[in-house]
Amino acid sequence: MDSMSQKVRKAVFPAAGLGTRFLPATKASPKEMLCLVDKPLIQYGVEEAVNSGIQNVIIVTGRGKSSMEDHFDVSYELEQLLASKKKTEMRRLVRAISELAEISYIRQKEALGLGHAVHRAKDLVGNESFAVVLSDDIIASKTPCIQQLVDVHDTYGASVLALMEVPKDQISAYGVVEAEPVEDSARPDSLFRIRNMVEKPKAEDAPSNLAIIGRYVLTSDIFASVESIEPGAGGEIQLTDAMKHMMQNRPIYGLKFEGKRYDAGDKAGFLKATVEFALERQDLGPQFREYLKGLAL
Ligand code: UTP
């Protein structure tokens, strides 16, 4: 079957980066296992994928693989202990994590770049469109961000990237697109056809204020494009370079998604997400709000 006419069933989670911005926490464990309130970052991403109708999750791991596997595995000892203490709700919560999705793991032995990490999943993905989720980008939204991209993919039969408007003084931290608006009454002023992408441009060279963030739906010809490119910035096989290569033959769309994105792979972004997510929680929010009000800021 043509990869365009298939449902998006799989999501690749590259989780083999070095996480240098979050040292020393990431010295021996992956940043995807950092905990936002009481859940590791990667679980937020897996839940977003599942809530977007995706059941097959492929995690590309480097160091600290076992902590991720253990997290999504059944923990009999813990479940039995919780059962014996009559902590039924906790037991249900722990069991539910192992039943969230069908998860496979593949190793990226060296952190050779995001494009290389995605390519490691080639055999597990096969000839179908798939989502890519960078789980240090946490997104709070009404409709899961991946679902928003899947909807565009299903309508246009093409790859689509999540875009966000970024102020000029921060734009050089991102991949930035040159794009033209696409008229779409279901997505007013939000859909673009991408014409070019520039990785981390100087503010004055940025082609727009639209940055690529960590959610993509890609057609499977991205794998051939990764194979066709040379290492780029930082000597890494860049996903941006592979997408630019793919764009020569296939259109790529960009969606200014509905929702708020937090850069939880960065210490300040992680703190902001922690505060806002804690305030939203019914069990923690009220007392946490009181606590914050009492601080001499
Ligand atoms: P980042 O650009 O955030 O890099 O990677 P990083 O190494 O994880 O973190 P810093 O910048 O050093 O602090 C974006 C995503 O791509 C994955 C990372 O795990 C992260 O989810 N990645 C990156 C890989 O899986 N392999 C790589 O070779 C590079």
Side-chain angles (χ1 to χ4, degrees), residues 14-22 31-32 108 111-114 117 134 136:
L18 299 176
T20 52
R21 284 171 297 153
F22 229 117
K31 75 174 162 189
E32 290 74 14
Q108 185 192 24
L112 296 178
L114 180 55
L134 307 188
D136 49 345

Side-chain angles (χ1 to χ4, degrees), residues 70-84:
D70 290 345
H71 184 72
F72 290 110
D73 204 354
V74 173
S75 174
Y76 287 110
E77 298 89 342
L78 179 58
E79 285 186 29
Q80 270 170 11
L81 191 80
L82 293 169
S84 72

